[in-house]
Amino acid sequence: MNKEYSIDAYSERRAEREWMVHTQLLSRDITDETVINSMSLVPRHKFVREDKQDLAYYDTPLEIDSGQTISQPYIVALMAQALKLKASDRVLEIGTGSGYSAAILSRIALRVYTIERHQVLASLAEERFRKQGYKNIEVRIGDGTLGWQERAPFDAILVTAGGPVIPDPLLDQLAVGGRLVIPVGERGEQSLLRVKKTMSGKLITEDLGGVRFVPLIGMGGWDERIKNS
């Protein structure tokens, strides 16, 4: 699928993005050139509210609509790097949020399918994708813990919220050789796990370190009545 991006959007605040990449990514452990290039190009300020745009390239999460947050740039880069994406990959993202992470992934992978349970967030993200020329991202409103069976299997799956366990439907929808990255643990503090499905179907899990994400809500996650702690 052709990828057509808005040149004007990427020319805005370019110096701030370069500063972000050098101070927050290259100075740490982000080494994947495709991720670095994507983070250098995607305008993070276009994915946050207008009153937060001056903070878009700082090393901090930011509030977005529906009581949710957009992760700090380093975490977005870390999770994208953990997926070990190839240009031919089909990616499933659970938790569209502002759409920023999907935009980062879309510049690396062939196709991104992203699920968001909040209709407001899904609509805003779709509008951002349309305005900025992202034509290889498809958005769905629903329970992300159930995956997207009609589009499976996926070469990579990224979950942007923390669950008590890894939802079985996501493991089932992961292609042979695929990678799944998900925060797993208690509310407010989790371990970032990477699961790889081998050619024999065996699952190999790696712990990439501690993280803090909002709860993963759904049938395979936390109950919707549970509030963030």
Side-chain angles (χ1 to χ4, degrees):
M1 173 167 292
N2 294 330
K3 302 180 182 181
E4 301 176 7
Y5 306 108
S6 168
I7 295 177
D8 290 341
Y10 298 116
S11 64
E12 293 180 19
R13 304 200 178 201
R14 183 173 180 177
E16 293 176 65
R17 282 197 301 283
E18 292 177 353
W19 172 81
M20 174 193 75
V21 167
H22 281 86
T23 61
Q24 300 171 39
L25 309 185
L26 296 177
S27 65
R28 295 178 180 174
D29 53 357
I30 305 302
T31 58
D32 187 313
E33 291 186 3
T34 62
V35 173
I36 292 168
N37 182 62
S38 185
M39 297 286 289
S40 299
L41 293 172
V42 176
R44 189 172 186 252
H45 65 282
K46 293 289 188 179
F47 291 88
V48 298
R49 299 198 309 256
E50 188 173 348
D51 64 319
K52 300 291 184 181
Q53 289 188 355
D54 287 343
L55 301 174
Y57 298 104
Y58 284 84
D59 187 23
T60 182
L62 295 173
E63 295 177 4
I64 56 175
D65 296 275
S66 298
Q68 302 299 300
T69 59
I70 178 175
S71 295
Q72 66 196 87
Y74 171 72
I75 292 296
V76 174
L78 178 67
M79 296 180 79
Q81 177 171 270
L83 289 175
K84 297 185 176 181
L85 294 176
K86 301 185 293 294
S88 59
D89 281 347
R90 301 170 68 255
V91 183
L92 173 65
E93 179 191 46
I94 308 304
T96 311
S98 70
Y100 178 66
S101 178
I104 294 294
L105 300 175
S106 79
R107 293 197 65 96
I108 306 171
L110 177 67
R111 184 81 176 170
V112 176
Y113 301 92
T114 181
I115 304 176
E116 174 54 55
R117 69 187 189 92
H118 295 285
Q119 184 170 356
V120 169
L121 291 180
S123 297
L124 287 172
E126 284 188 303
E127 180 67 11
R128 290 170 181 136
F129 298 149
R130 185 189 65 78
K131 287 184 176 179
Q132 296 178 49
Y134 295 94
K135 297 184 179 296
N136 63 331
I137 303 175
E138 186 173 346
V139 182
R140 178 179 185 176
I141 301 169
D143 183 349
T145 67
L146 301 179
W148 197 332
Q149 184 61 51
E150 297 85 351
R151 297 290 187 265
F154 303 100
D155 302 296
I157 299 177
L158 177 64
V159 183
T160 64
V165 295
I166 303 175
D168 287 336
L170 301 185
L171 294 172
D172 293 340
Q173 294 172 31
L174 188 63
V176 170
R179 294 81 56 205
L180 183 155
V181 173
I182 178 174
V184 174
E186 298 300 320
R187 287 177 291 151
E189 187 170 352
Q190 307 91 25
S191 293
L192 185 63
L193 304 182
R194 175 169 58 201
V195 180
K196 182 176 181 179
K197 184 178 286 188
T198 67
M199 297 302 291
S200 64
K202 181 180 178 181
L203 300 173
I204 299 176
T205 303
E206 303 172 70
D207 188 334
L208 303 180
V211 289
R212 295 177 64 89
F213 279 83
V214 297
L216 176 65
I217 304 299
M219 291 185 64
W222 297 105
D223 191 288
E224 188 171 6
R225 291 169 295 181
I226 296 176
K227 296 181 179 180
N228 297 356
S229 60

PDB file of all heavy atoms in Angstrom, residues 92 144-155 157 166-180 195-197 201 203:
ATOM      1  N   LEU A  92      -0.676  -5.250  14.673  1.00  0.00           N
ATOM      2  CA  LEU A  92      -1.891  -4.956  15.423  1.00  0.00           C
ATOM      3  C   LEU A  92      -1.493  -4.147  16.648  1.00  0.00           C
ATOM      4  O   LEU A  92      -0.606  -4.557  17.415  1.00  0.00           O
ATOM      5  CB  LEU A  92      -2.595  -6.244  15.869  1.00  0.00           C
ATOM      6  CG  LEU A  92      -3.795  -6.056  16.804  1.00  0.00           C
ATOM      7  CD1 LEU A  92      -4.928  -5.316  16.088  1.00  0.00           C
ATOM      8  CD2 LEU A  92      -4.286  -7.406  17.333  1.00  0.00           C
ATOM      9  N   GLY A 144      -9.922  -4.379  22.694  1.00  0.00           N
ATOM     10  CA  GLY A 144      -8.644  -4.775  22.132  1.00  0.00           C
ATOM     11  C   GLY A 144      -8.131  -6.096  22.650  1.00  0.00           C
ATOM     12  O   GLY A 144      -7.328  -6.761  21.977  1.00  0.00           O
ATOM     13  N   THR A 145      -8.570  -6.513  23.844  1.00  0.00           N
ATOM     14  CA  THR A 145      -8.085  -7.782  24.387  1.00  0.00           C
ATOM     15  C   THR A 145      -8.572  -8.982  23.576  1.00  0.00           C
ATOM     16  O   THR A 145      -8.051 -10.083  23.725  1.00  0.00           O
ATOM     17  CB  THR A 145      -8.510  -7.969  25.854  1.00  0.00           C
ATOM     18  OG1 THR A 145      -9.929  -8.128  25.941  1.00  0.00           O
ATOM     19  CG2 THR A 145      -8.071  -6.776  26.704  1.00  0.00           C
ATOM     20  N   LEU A 146      -9.559  -8.762  22.715  1.00  0.00           N
ATOM     21  CA  LEU A 146     -10.069  -9.824  21.845  1.00  0.00           C
ATOM     22  C   LEU A 146      -9.340  -9.856  20.511  1.00  0.00           C
ATOM     23  O   LEU A 146      -9.548 -10.768  19.704  1.00  0.00           O
ATOM     24  CB  LEU A 146     -11.575  -9.643  21.609  1.00  0.00           C
ATOM     25  CG  LEU A 146     -12.453  -9.643  22.863  1.00  0.00           C
ATOM     26  CD1 LEU A 146     -13.914  -9.422  22.478  1.00  0.00           C
ATOM     27  CD2 LEU A 146     -12.291 -10.941  23.637  1.00  0.00           C
ATOM     28  N   GLY A 147      -8.494  -8.863  20.269  1.00  0.00           N
ATOM     29  CA  GLY A 147      -7.761  -8.804  19.004  1.00  0.00           C
ATOM     30  C   GLY A 147      -8.660  -8.437  17.841  1.00  0.00           C
ATOM     31  O   GLY A 147      -9.731  -7.849  18.008  1.00  0.00           O
ATOM     32  N   TRP A 148      -8.206  -8.815  16.652  1.00  0.00           N
ATOM     33  CA  TRP A 148      -8.936  -8.486  15.416  1.00  0.00           C
ATOM     34  C   TRP A 148      -8.857  -9.711  14.517  1.00  0.00           C
ATOM     35  O   TRP A 148      -8.032  -9.780  13.620  1.00  0.00           O
ATOM     36  CB  TRP A 148      -8.295  -7.273  14.766  1.00  0.00           C
ATOM     37  CG  TRP A 148      -9.121  -6.576  13.743  1.00  0.00           C
ATOM     38  CD1 TRP A 148     -10.082  -7.106  12.940  1.00  0.00           C
ATOM     39  CD2 TRP A 148      -9.032  -5.191  13.379  1.00  0.00           C
ATOM     40  NE1 TRP A 148     -10.612  -6.154  12.118  1.00  0.00           N
ATOM     41  CE2 TRP A 148      -9.980  -4.960  12.365  1.00  0.00           C
ATOM     42  CE3 TRP A 148      -8.229  -4.140  13.813  1.00  0.00           C
ATOM     43  CZ2 TRP A 148     -10.134  -3.704  11.768  1.00  0.00           C
ATOM     44  CZ3 TRP A 148      -8.396  -2.903  13.220  1.00  0.00           C
ATOM     45  CH2 TRP A 148      -9.332  -2.686  12.215  1.00  0.00           C
ATOM     46  N   GLN A 149      -9.703 -10.688  14.798  1.00  0.00           N
ATOM     47  CA  GLN A 149      -9.623 -11.992  14.158  1.00  0.00           C
ATOM     48  C   GLN A 149      -9.697 -11.904  12.634  1.00  0.00           C
ATOM     49  O   GLN A 149      -9.021 -12.651  11.913  1.00  0.00           O
ATOM     50  CB  GLN A 149     -10.735 -12.906  14.679  1.00  0.00           C
ATOM     51  CG  GLN A 149     -10.684 -14.330  14.130  1.00  0.00           C
ATOM     52  CD  GLN A 149      -9.400 -15.051  14.489  1.00  0.00           C
ATOM     53  OE1 GLN A 149      -9.005 -15.084  15.651  1.00  0.00           O
ATOM     54  NE2 GLN A 149      -8.737 -15.620  13.503  1.00  0.00           N
ATOM     55  N   GLU A 150     -10.524 -10.980  12.140  1.00  0.00           N
ATOM     56  CA  GLU A 150     -10.714 -10.874  10.689  1.00  0.00           C
ATOM     57  C   GLU A 150      -9.446 -10.433   9.957  1.00  0.00           C
ATOM     58  O   GLU A 150      -9.325 -10.651   8.755  1.00  0.00           O
ATOM     59  CB  GLU A 150     -11.849  -9.885  10.375  1.00  0.00           C
ATOM     60  CG  GLU A 150     -13.212 -10.295  10.904  1.00  0.00           C
ATOM     61  CD  GLU A 150     -13.436  -9.884  12.343  1.00  0.00           C
ATOM     62  OE1 GLU A 150     -12.482  -9.426  12.998  1.00  0.00           O
ATOM     63  OE2 GLU A 150     -14.584 -10.016  12.811  1.00  0.00           O
ATOM     64  N   ARG A 151      -8.528  -9.810  10.658  1.00  0.00           N
ATOM     65  CA  ARG A 151      -7.287  -9.334  10.029  1.00  0.00           C
ATOM     66  C   ARG A 151      -6.076 -10.185  10.401  1.00  0.00           C
ATOM     67  O   ARG A 151      -4.976  -9.939   9.932  1.00  0.00           O
ATOM     68  CB  ARG A 151      -7.022  -7.878  10.444  1.00  0.00           C
ATOM     69  CG  ARG A 151      -8.100  -6.887   9.992  1.00  0.00           C
ATOM     70  CD  ARG A 151      -8.070  -6.703   8.496  1.00  0.00           C
ATOM     71  NE  ARG A 151      -8.972  -5.643   8.080  1.00  0.00           N
ATOM     72  CZ  ARG A 151     -10.222  -5.839   7.666  1.00  0.00           C
ATOM     73  NH1 ARG A 151     -10.696  -7.082   7.605  1.00  0.00           N
ATOM     74  NH2 ARG A 151     -10.984  -4.819   7.303  1.00  0.00           N
ATOM     75  N   ALA A 152      -6.267 -11.142  11.268  1.00  0.00           N
ATOM     76  CA  ALA A 152      -5.172 -12.006  11.722  1.00  0.00           C
ATOM     77  C   ALA A 152      -4.735 -12.959  10.595  1.00  0.00           C
ATOM     78  O   ALA A 152      -5.503 -13.217   9.663  1.00  0.00           O
ATOM     79  CB  ALA A 152      -5.619 -12.792  12.939  1.00  0.00           C
ATOM     80  N   PRO A 153      -3.494 -13.491  10.682  1.00  0.00           N
ATOM     81  CA  PRO A 153      -2.509 -13.334  11.759  1.00  0.00           C
ATOM     82  C   PRO A 153      -1.677 -12.063  11.580  1.00  0.00           C
ATOM     83  O   PRO A 153      -1.602 -11.500  10.485  1.00  0.00           O
ATOM     84  CB  PRO A 153      -1.645 -14.582  11.619  1.00  0.00           C
ATOM     85  CG  PRO A 153      -1.657 -14.868  10.145  1.00  0.00           C
ATOM     86  CD  PRO A 153      -3.050 -14.492   9.686  1.00  0.00           C
ATOM     87  N   PHE A 154      -1.021 -11.661  12.675  1.00  0.00           N
ATOM     88  CA  PHE A 154      -0.200 -10.456  12.679  1.00  0.00           C
ATOM     89  C   PHE A 154       1.266 -10.810  12.946  1.00  0.00           C
ATOM     90  O   PHE A 154       1.571 -11.660  13.771  1.00  0.00           O
ATOM     91  CB  PHE A 154      -0.693  -9.490  13.760  1.00  0.00           C
ATOM     92  CG  PHE A 154      -2.141  -9.106  13.596  1.00  0.00           C
ATOM     93  CD1 PHE A 154      -3.127  -9.714  14.353  1.00  0.00           C
ATOM     94  CD2 PHE A 154      -2.514  -8.149  12.666  1.00  0.00           C
ATOM     95  CE1 PHE A 154      -4.459  -9.369  14.199  1.00  0.00           C
ATOM     96  CE2 PHE A 154      -3.852  -7.802  12.498  1.00  0.00           C
ATOM     97  CZ  PHE A 154      -4.828  -8.409  13.262  1.00  0.00           C
ATOM     98  N   ASP A 155       2.136 -10.118  12.240  1.00  0.00           N
ATOM     99  CA  ASP A 155       3.574 -10.327  12.440  1.00  0.00           C
ATOM    100  C   ASP A 155       4.045  -9.703  13.746  1.00  0.00           C
ATOM    101  O   ASP A 155       5.049 -10.142  14.324  1.00  0.00           O
ATOM    102  CB  ASP A 155       4.360  -9.711  11.278  1.00  0.00           C
ATOM    103  CG  ASP A 155       3.947 -10.290   9.941  1.00  0.00           C
ATOM    104  OD1 ASP A 155       4.156 -11.501   9.737  1.00  0.00           O
ATOM    105  OD2 ASP A 155       3.380  -9.544   9.112  1.00  0.00           O
ATOM    106  N   ILE A 157       2.392  -7.540  17.419  1.00  0.00           N
ATOM    107  CA  ILE A 157       1.267  -7.003  18.186  1.00  0.00           C
ATOM    108  C   ILE A 157       1.830  -6.139  19.310  1.00  0.00           C
ATOM    109  O   ILE A 157       2.719  -6.573  20.041  1.00  0.00           O
ATOM    110  CB  ILE A 157       0.390  -8.118  18.780  1.00  0.00           C
ATOM    111  CG1 ILE A 157      -0.213  -8.983  17.662  1.00  0.00           C
ATOM    112  CG2 ILE A 157      -0.724  -7.519  19.647  1.00  0.00           C
ATOM    113  CD1 ILE A 157      -1.032 -10.164  18.167  1.00  0.00           C
ATOM    114  N   ILE A 166      -1.418 -11.931  29.697  1.00  0.00           N
ATOM    115  CA  ILE A 166      -1.446 -11.738  28.244  1.00  0.00           C
ATOM    116  C   ILE A 166      -2.739 -12.366  27.715  1.00  0.00           C
ATOM    117  O   ILE A 166      -2.960 -13.564  27.898  1.00  0.00           O
ATOM    118  CB  ILE A 166      -0.237 -12.395  27.562  1.00  0.00           C
ATOM    119  CG1 ILE A 166       1.061 -11.846  28.145  1.00  0.00           C
ATOM    120  CG2 ILE A 166      -0.296 -12.167  26.056  1.00  0.00           C
ATOM    121  CD1 ILE A 166       2.309 -12.531  27.608  1.00  0.00           C
ATOM    122  N   PRO A 167      -3.605 -11.603  27.077  1.00  0.00           N
ATOM    123  CA  PRO A 167      -4.870 -12.157  26.569  1.00  0.00           C
ATOM    124  C   PRO A 167      -4.622 -13.281  25.553  1.00  0.00           C
ATOM    125  O   PRO A 167      -3.850 -13.120  24.611  1.00  0.00           O
ATOM    126  CB  PRO A 167      -5.548 -10.954  25.908  1.00  0.00           C
ATOM    127  CG  PRO A 167      -4.962  -9.760  26.612  1.00  0.00           C
ATOM    128  CD  PRO A 167      -3.532 -10.144  26.874  1.00  0.00           C
ATOM    129  N   ASP A 168      -5.286 -14.400  25.737  1.00  0.00           N
ATOM    130  CA  ASP A 168      -5.125 -15.549  24.844  1.00  0.00           C
ATOM    131  C   ASP A 168      -5.430 -15.234  23.378  1.00  0.00           C
ATOM    132  O   ASP A 168      -4.727 -15.728  22.482  1.00  0.00           O
ATOM    133  CB  ASP A 168      -6.005 -16.709  25.314  1.00  0.00           C
ATOM    134  CG  ASP A 168      -5.455 -17.377  26.574  1.00  0.00           C
ATOM    135  OD1 ASP A 168      -4.231 -17.276  26.817  1.00  0.00           O
ATOM    136  OD2 ASP A 168      -6.248 -18.003  27.305  1.00  0.00           O
ATOM    137  N   PRO A 169      -6.481 -14.434  23.079  1.00  0.00           N
ATOM    138  CA  PRO A 169      -6.756 -14.145  21.667  1.00  0.00           C
ATOM    139  C   PRO A 169      -5.573 -13.484  20.944  1.00  0.00           C
ATOM    140  O   PRO A 169      -5.365 -13.721  19.743  1.00  0.00           O
ATOM    141  CB  PRO A 169      -7.965 -13.212  21.733  1.00  0.00           C
ATOM    142  CG  PRO A 169      -8.651 -13.566  23.004  1.00  0.00           C
ATOM    143  CD  PRO A 169      -7.537 -13.873  23.962  1.00  0.00           C
ATOM    144  N   LEU A 170      -4.810 -12.676  21.663  1.00  0.00           N
ATOM    145  CA  LEU A 170      -3.667 -12.025  21.028  1.00  0.00           C
ATOM    146  C   LEU A 170      -2.575 -13.038  20.710  1.00  0.00           C
ATOM    147  O   LEU A 170      -1.942 -12.966  19.643  1.00  0.00           O
ATOM    148  CB  LEU A 170      -3.126 -10.914  21.934  1.00  0.00           C
ATOM    149  CG  LEU A 170      -4.114  -9.808  22.306  1.00  0.00           C
ATOM    150  CD1 LEU A 170      -3.409  -8.707  23.095  1.00  0.00           C
ATOM    151  CD2 LEU A 170      -4.779  -9.229  21.059  1.00  0.00           C
ATOM    152  N   LEU A 171      -2.354 -13.978  21.605  1.00  0.00           N
ATOM    153  CA  LEU A 171      -1.373 -15.033  21.343  1.00  0.00           C
ATOM    154  C   LEU A 171      -1.820 -15.896  20.165  1.00  0.00           C
ATOM    155  O   LEU A 171      -1.012 -16.281  19.319  1.00  0.00           O
ATOM    156  CB  LEU A 171      -1.188 -15.895  22.593  1.00  0.00           C
ATOM    157  CG  LEU A 171      -0.554 -15.196  23.801  1.00  0.00           C
ATOM    158  CD1 LEU A 171      -0.609 -16.106  25.022  1.00  0.00           C
ATOM    159  CD2 LEU A 171       0.879 -14.785  23.497  1.00  0.00           C
ATOM    160  N   ASP A 172      -3.117 -16.176  20.103  1.00  0.00           N
ATOM    161  CA  ASP A 172      -3.652 -16.989  19.008  1.00  0.00           C
ATOM    162  C   ASP A 172      -3.516 -16.283  17.668  1.00  0.00           C
ATOM    163  O   ASP A 172      -3.317 -16.936  16.628  1.00  0.00           O
ATOM    164  CB  ASP A 172      -5.123 -17.313  19.262  1.00  0.00           C
ATOM    165  CG  ASP A 172      -5.327 -18.228  20.462  1.00  0.00           C
ATOM    166  OD1 ASP A 172      -4.366 -18.903  20.864  1.00  0.00           O
ATOM    167  OD2 ASP A 172      -6.458 -18.247  21.006  1.00  0.00           O
ATOM    168  N   GLN A 173      -3.627 -14.951  17.670  1.00  0.00           N
ATOM    169  CA  GLN A 173      -3.591 -14.185  16.423  1.00  0.00           C
ATOM    170  C   GLN A 173      -2.178 -13.773  16.001  1.00  0.00           C
ATOM    171  O   GLN A 173      -1.999 -13.130  14.973  1.00  0.00           O
ATOM    172  CB  GLN A 173      -4.486 -12.962  16.554  1.00  0.00           C
ATOM    173  CG  GLN A 173      -5.965 -13.314  16.687  1.00  0.00           C
ATOM    174  CD  GLN A 173      -6.838 -12.134  17.016  1.00  0.00           C
ATOM    175  OE1 GLN A 173      -6.558 -10.999  16.627  1.00  0.00           O
ATOM    176  NE2 GLN A 173      -7.929 -12.384  17.733  1.00  0.00           N
ATOM    177  N   LEU A 174      -1.191 -14.152  16.807  1.00  0.00           N
ATOM    178  CA  LEU A 174       0.201 -13.847  16.480  1.00  0.00           C
ATOM    179  C   LEU A 174       0.714 -14.872  15.478  1.00  0.00           C
ATOM    180  O   LEU A 174       0.592 -16.083  15.679  1.00  0.00           O
ATOM    181  CB  LEU A 174       1.045 -13.896  17.756  1.00  0.00           C
ATOM    182  CG  LEU A 174       2.493 -13.419  17.661  1.00  0.00           C
ATOM    183  CD1 LEU A 174       2.555 -11.939  17.293  1.00  0.00           C
ATOM    184  CD2 LEU A 174       3.213 -13.672  18.982  1.00  0.00           C
ATOM    185  N   ALA A 175       1.289 -14.398  14.380  1.00  0.00           N
ATOM    186  CA  ALA A 175       1.800 -15.280  13.334  1.00  0.00           C
ATOM    187  C   ALA A 175       3.023 -16.047  13.825  1.00  0.00           C
ATOM    188  O   ALA A 175       3.704 -15.639  14.773  1.00  0.00           O
ATOM    189  CB  ALA A 175       2.161 -14.461  12.100  1.00  0.00           C
ATOM    190  N   VAL A 176       3.317 -17.154  13.181  1.00  0.00           N
ATOM    191  CA  VAL A 176       4.554 -17.887  13.454  1.00  0.00           C
ATOM    192  C   VAL A 176       5.734 -16.967  13.171  1.00  0.00           C
ATOM    193  O   VAL A 176       5.791 -16.321  12.115  1.00  0.00           O
ATOM    194  CB  VAL A 176       4.627 -19.152  12.582  1.00  0.00           C
ATOM    195  CG1 VAL A 176       6.014 -19.780  12.680  1.00  0.00           C
ATOM    196  CG2 VAL A 176       3.555 -20.144  12.995  1.00  0.00           C
ATOM    197  N   GLY A 177       6.635 -16.854  14.129  1.00  0.00           N
ATOM    198  CA  GLY A 177       7.749 -15.928  13.993  1.00  0.00           C
ATOM    199  C   GLY A 177       7.417 -14.526  14.454  1.00  0.00           C
ATOM    200  O   GLY A 177       8.264 -13.639  14.432  1.00  0.00           O
ATOM    201  N   GLY A 178       6.165 -14.315  14.890  1.00  0.00           N
ATOM    202  CA  GLY A 178       5.713 -12.988  15.295  1.00  0.00           C
ATOM    203  C   GLY A 178       6.169 -12.601  16.685  1.00  0.00           C
ATOM    204  O   GLY A 178       6.571 -13.447  17.494  1.00  0.00           O
ATOM    205  N   ARG A 179       6.100 -11.298  16.975  1.00  0.00           N
ATOM    206  CA  ARG A 179       6.487 -10.755  18.278  1.00  0.00           C
ATOM    207  C   ARG A 179       5.324  -9.970  18.871  1.00  0.00           C
ATOM    208  O   ARG A 179       4.680  -9.199  18.173  1.00  0.00           O
ATOM    209  CB  ARG A 179       7.689  -9.799  18.158  1.00  0.00           C
ATOM    210  CG  ARG A 179       8.992 -10.471  17.733  1.00  0.00           C
ATOM    211  CD  ARG A 179       9.086 -10.705  16.241  1.00  0.00           C
ATOM    212  NE  ARG A 179       8.909  -9.469  15.485  1.00  0.00           N
ATOM    213  CZ  ARG A 179       8.482  -9.414  14.223  1.00  0.00           C
ATOM    214  NH1 ARG A 179       8.168 -10.520  13.569  1.00  0.00           N
ATOM    215  NH2 ARG A 179       8.366  -8.249  13.610  1.00  0.00           N
ATOM    216  N   LEU A 180       5.098 -10.170  20.161  1.00  0.00           N
ATOM    217  CA  LEU A 180       4.063  -9.438  20.894  1.00  0.00           C
ATOM    218  C   LEU A 180       4.735  -8.710  22.052  1.00  0.00           C
ATOM    219  O   LEU A 180       5.478  -9.327  22.818  1.00  0.00           O
ATOM    220  CB  LEU A 180       2.996 -10.399  21.403  1.00  0.00           C
ATOM    221  CG  LEU A 180       1.780  -9.810  22.135  1.00  0.00           C
ATOM    222  CD1 LEU A 180       0.580 -10.755  22.009  1.00  0.00           C
ATOM    223  CD2 LEU A 180       2.055  -9.558  23.611  1.00  0.00           C
ATOM    224  N   VAL A 195       6.994 -11.425  23.682  1.00  0.00           N
ATOM    225  CA  VAL A 195       6.725 -12.835  23.442  1.00  0.00           C
ATOM    226  C   VAL A 195       6.948 -13.122  21.959  1.00  0.00           C
ATOM    227  O   VAL A 195       6.413 -12.423  21.101  1.00  0.00           O
ATOM    228  CB  VAL A 195       5.278 -13.195  23.821  1.00  0.00           C
ATOM    229  CG1 VAL A 195       5.015 -14.676  23.566  1.00  0.00           C
ATOM    230  CG2 VAL A 195       5.009 -12.854  25.285  1.00  0.00           C
ATOM    231  N   LYS A 196       7.745 -14.140  21.682  1.00  0.00           N
ATOM    232  CA  LYS A 196       7.970 -14.545  20.292  1.00  0.00           C
ATOM    233  C   LYS A 196       7.401 -15.938  20.077  1.00  0.00           C
ATOM    234  O   LYS A 196       7.584 -16.829  20.914  1.00  0.00           O
ATOM    235  CB  LYS A 196       9.464 -14.546  19.952  1.00  0.00           C
ATOM    236  CG  LYS A 196       9.733 -14.927  18.501  1.00  0.00           C
ATOM    237  CD  LYS A 196      11.209 -14.832  18.148  1.00  0.00           C
ATOM    238  CE  LYS A 196      11.433 -15.202  16.683  1.00  0.00           C
ATOM    239  NZ  LYS A 196      12.867 -15.107  16.298  1.00  0.00           N
ATOM    240  N   LYS A 197       6.684 -16.106  18.968  1.00  0.00           N
ATOM    241  CA  LYS A 197       6.138 -17.419  18.610  1.00  0.00           C
ATOM    242  C   LYS A 197       7.097 -18.075  17.616  1.00  0.00           C
ATOM    243  O   LYS A 197       7.313 -17.563  16.519  1.00  0.00           O
ATOM    244  CB  LYS A 197       4.744 -17.281  17.999  1.00  0.00           C
ATOM    245  CG  LYS A 197       4.086 -18.628  17.683  1.00  0.00           C
ATOM    246  CD  LYS A 197       2.684 -18.447  17.125  1.00  0.00           C
ATOM    247  CE  LYS A 197       1.698 -18.054  18.196  1.00  0.00           C
ATOM    248  NZ  LYS A 197       0.292 -18.070  17.676  1.00  0.00           N
ATOM    249  N   GLY A 201       5.595 -23.075  17.068  1.00  0.00           N
ATOM    250  CA  GLY A 201       4.446 -22.594  17.817  1.00  0.00           C
ATOM    251  C   GLY A 201       4.730 -22.360  19.283  1.00  0.00           C
ATOM    252  O   GLY A 201       3.845 -21.930  20.028  1.00  0.00           O
ATOM    253  N   LEU A 203       6.069 -20.492  22.597  1.00  0.00           N
ATOM    254  CA  LEU A 203       6.128 -19.090  22.988  1.00  0.00           C
ATOM    255  C   LEU A 203       7.332 -18.855  23.894  1.00  0.00           C
ATOM    256  O   LEU A 203       7.485 -19.523  24.919  1.00  0.00           O
ATOM    257  CB  LEU A 203       4.848 -18.680  23.704  1.00  0.00           C
ATOM    258  CG  LEU A 203       3.550 -18.826  22.894  1.00  0.00           C
ATOM    259  CD1 LEU A 203       2.338 -18.545  23.773  1.00  0.00           C
ATOM    260  CD2 LEU A 203       3.567 -17.897  21.685  1.00  0.00           C
TER     261      LEU A 203
END
